[in-house]
Amino acid sequence: MPKVHFIERITNVKLLSKENNEWASYAWAIGEDSAKKLVGGEIYLHKAQDKPSHFGGKILSYFVLGEDAGQDAGRVVFVFQAGNEYKGIKTGKGWAMEKKFDWD
């Protein structure tokens, strides 16, 4: 199952549905091909590479921000269903700037 870990330097997470525990994580600089492959996988949000995840969930969908998003145009937003099992997860080496992919 594919996984992505992001360093969340600013809190760009918004609650979409309290009833379904659905959230959106905003403005990631990744390609749309990678975003497509991650649907059905897992997202983990960290404060630093050496810190365990503080939030995350199963990726339900994604969308690309349009021109009206200003400097974030073209960036990806992931919609996910959060769960406690995605908290406290550490990951090792393999970070590339603010993200780490695990395609297994």
Side-chain angles (χ1 to χ4, degrees):
M1 173 178 322
K3 299 176 180 90
V4 64
H5 297 261
F6 287 115
I7 302 300
E8 185 185 36
R9 290 193 171 84
I10 56 173
T11 305
N12 262 349
V13 178
K14 295 182 182 172
L15 179 62
L16 300 178
S17 169
K18 187 174 183 178
E19 181 178 308
N20 296 321
N21 200 19
E22 289 181 9
W23 296 76
S25 181
Y26 278 80
W28 298 108
I30 69 168
E32 193 168 358
D33 286 342
S34 293
K36 284 179 190 175
K37 292 176 188 173
L38 288 164
V39 173
E42 300 171 348
I43 184 171
Y44 297 89
L45 303 176
H46 303 257
K47 293 294 182 190
Q49 290 180 6
D50 62 345
K51 301 287 182 195
S53 60
H54 64 276
F55 199 50
K58 181 178 180 178
I59 299 171
L60 304 173
S61 63
Y62 78 93
F63 59 92
V64 178
L65 293 169
E67 291 179 18
D68 58 334
Q71 68 184 32
D72 288 333
R75 290 182 173 241
V76 170
V77 176
F78 288 103
V79 176
F80 64 97
Q81 187 171 42
N84 285 331
E85 65 270 30
Y86 301 96
K87 294 180 182 179
I89 305 299
K90 282 191 152 187
T91 186
K93 296 179 182 179
W95 287 90
M97 304 293 282
E98 65 181 9
K99 58 191 164 273
K100 178 186 176 190
F101 297 100
D102 181 356
W103 297 110
D104 295 334

